[in-house]
Amino acid sequence: MNLILASKSPRRQELLRGMGFSFEILLRETDESYPDGLSPREVALYIAEKKARVFEEDEMEGKLLITADTIVVWGNEILGKPQDRQAAIEMLGKLSGTAHQVITGVALLQNKTLISISETTRVWFASLTAEEIAFYVDNYRPFDKAGA
């Protein structure tokens, strides 16, 4: 079976390589919007499934496609990917010294059959000073990560 990862995330690629899998990377731009009223878990699953569905009409015989989406939930607020430096600083300021959830939805597509799962992790975040947050944002540029 040929494994296909439909993700540009270096972290997902590293994870699969670390588990000893060889895989092909196949990318398609996908709108990551979602309908109002979904629970955070449903949002992560909805977006992961949406990313997989763009491949449904492709010839996928003998292939297993993996897509994923990760969201950060602080209180009742879903923190997406920050659009700029200020948004990243604000997100990290919210998370500083608090607990939040990280939810990852994963969709597997094989022979037009779509299966999805999710995992939720509770994360306790250390208190950071404004200077530490600014240093992190300026040096690590977390604009491709949910919750910065």
Side-chain angles (χ1 to χ4, degrees):
M1 166 131 349
N2 293 326
L3 187 61
I4 299 172
L5 177 63
S7 173
K8 61 185 169 192
S9 166
R11 291 159 296 285
R12 290 194 178 98
Q13 294 170 23
E14 181 182 337
L15 179 64
L16 283 180
R17 281 190 194 100
M19 292 189 298
F21 291 107
S22 59
F23 54 92
E24 175 185 348
I25 297 171
L26 191 57
L27 301 175
R28 298 249 172 88
E29 282 299 315
T30 306
D31 170 31
E32 295 187 16
S33 63
Y34 52 88
D36 290 337
L38 298 180
S39 71
R41 178 182 174 276
E42 291 169 327
V43 168
L45 288 170
Y46 180 88
I47 296 172
E49 291 171 1
K50 192 175 188 182
K51 290 176 179 180
R53 283 194 170 89
V54 301
F55 295 94
E56 278 184 321
E57 299 306 316
D58 290 14
E59 176 53 49
M60 300 297 273
E61 187 67 33
K63 298 176 183 178
L64 175 63
L65 178 87
I66 301 173
T67 62
D69 192 70
T70 298
I71 62 170
V72 171
V73 184
W74 178 73
N76 292 322
E77 182 180 357
I78 295 175
L79 303 180
K81 296 173 185 170
Q83 298 299 310
D84 56 30
R85 181 180 188 275
Q86 188 57 39
I89 288 171
E90 288 173 13
M91 285 182 188
L92 292 169
K94 289 178 181 180
L95 297 173
S96 178
T98 68
H100 63 277
Q101 294 181 323
V102 176
I103 305 172
T104 298
V106 177
L108 306 169
L109 178 65
Q110 182 181 28
N111 298 328
K112 300 196 187 284
T113 299
L114 183 64
I115 297 171
S116 57
I117 58 173
S118 70
E119 183 64 37
T120 301
T121 303
R122 189 155 178 83
V123 176
W124 285 267
F125 205 94
S127 292
L128 299 174
T129 65
E131 293 79 20
E132 289 170 323
I133 291 171
F135 177 87
Y136 174 78
V137 171
D138 292 340
N139 289 280
Y140 295 96
R141 307 194 50 77
F143 307 114
D144 65 335
K145 299 170 186 68

